[in-house]
């Protein structure tokens, strides 16, 4: 992945930055992230078609990505790990959303996960007000949206815990 990112970066980088190694390194890093995210998304879309979970996949991504971007949490150390781990999470979440519809105390569980996210996170404390508002609105709009929100919060909490464990090692 690194070679492809370097190649593409050198093709698009302006001439005035060709000798600035710090700028090139930063651009290559950004290109690697972009390629990794696009690859993961492409594989996830294909898997969602294969396993007939495209609707659930789209809804999960809609709820999960903002949470994922708002917190510092676990990141894999290699492209292959990221591709496999991310698609396993997406597939699990999509199946969970599709087949688990009746969860007792759903609102209470979601609220508990919001409190867990708040307690474990180092940043974005204001985001929790927005999360509670989303929880409140979802609970009245459609209970299936609440299940999507639940699985998004659950996975985000696990990723925050993994990041904390990674920092203590």
């Amino acid at each position: 992945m690194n070679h492809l990112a370097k190649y593409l970066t050198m093709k698009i980088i302006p001439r005035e930055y060709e000798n600035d190694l710090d700028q090139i390194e930063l651009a290559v890093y950004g290109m690697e992230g972009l390629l990794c995210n696009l690859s993961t998304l492409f594989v996830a879309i294909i898997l969602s078609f294969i396993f007939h979970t495209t609707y659930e996949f789209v809804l999960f991504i809609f709820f999960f990505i903002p949470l994922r971007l708002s917190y510092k949490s676990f990141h894999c150390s290699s492209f292959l790990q990221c591709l496999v781990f991310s698609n396993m999470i997406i597939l699990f979440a999509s199946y969970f959303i599709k087949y688990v519809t009746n969860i007792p105390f759903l609102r209470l569980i979601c609220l508990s996960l919001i409190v867990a996210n708040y307690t474990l996170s180092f940043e974005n404390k204001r985001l929790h007000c927005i999360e509670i508002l989303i929880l409140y609105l979802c609970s009245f709009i459609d209970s299936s949206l609440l299940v999507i929100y639940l699985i998004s919060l659950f996975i985000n909490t696990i990723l925050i815990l993994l990041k904390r464990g990674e920092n203590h090692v």
Side-chain angles (χ1 to χ4, degrees):
M1 182 61 71
N2 187 279
H3 296 297
L4 179 59
K6 282 180 185 174
Y7 174 78
L8 292 173
T9 301
M10 295 312 290
K11 288 289 187 189
I12 63 172
I13 200 163
R15 295 266 184 234
E16 62 263 17
Y17 294 110
E18 283 182 348
N19 294 325
D20 189 344
L21 295 179
D22 289 337
Q23 288 295 324
I24 291 173
E25 188 177 316
L26 184 62
V28 169
Y29 178 76
M31 182 63 75
E32 282 179 336
L34 179 65
L35 291 173
C36 182
N37 288 334
L38 290 175
S39 301
T40 299
L41 184 62
F42 181 71
V43 171
I45 290 169
I46 290 172
L47 288 174
S48 76
F49 285 129
I50 292 170
F51 291 102
H52 306 288
T53 58
T54 306
Y55 175 73
E56 293 79 12
F57 160 74
V58 169
L59 288 175
F60 172 70
I61 293 299
F62 178 75
F63 276 83
F64 182 68
I65 295 299
L67 281 173
R68 179 79 167 124
L69 293 175
S70 299
Y71 294 96
K72 292 179 183 168
S73 60
F74 180 77
H75 288 278
C76 296
S77 57
S78 75
F79 165 72
L80 187 58
Q81 285 177 347
C82 181
L83 185 70
V84 171
F85 187 67
S86 296
N87 279 291
M88 285 174 45
I89 287 173
I90 292 168
L91 195 57
F92 163 75
S94 297
Y95 261 96
F96 186 88
I97 292 163
K98 185 169 188 159
Y99 294 109
V100 177
T101 55
N102 190 13
I103 301 173
F105 308 109
L106 185 59
R107 287 177 189 84
L108 183 62
I109 295 168
C110 284
L111 192 57
S112 300
L113 286 170
I114 289 171
V115 170
N117 272 264
Y118 179 83
T119 305
L120 294 169
S121 67
F122 297 113
E123 72 287 321
N124 293 325
K125 298 293 185 178
R126 286 189 208 147
L127 180 65
H128 299 286
C129 294
I130 296 168
E131 289 176 342
I132 290 171
L133 182 62
I134 290 170
L135 169 67
Y136 181 76
L137 293 173
C138 287
S139 66
F140 289 105
I141 295 170
D142 185 356
S143 64
S144 65
L145 291 177
L146 204 51
V147 172
I148 297 163
Y149 191 53
L150 167 73
I151 195 68
S152 299
L153 281 166
F154 178 71
I155 291 170
N156 195 59
T157 304
I158 290 172
L159 293 173
I160 291 171
L161 286 170
L162 286 171
K163 177 67 174 182
R164 284 187 148 222
E166 189 179 73
N167 289 341
H168 292 302
V169 174

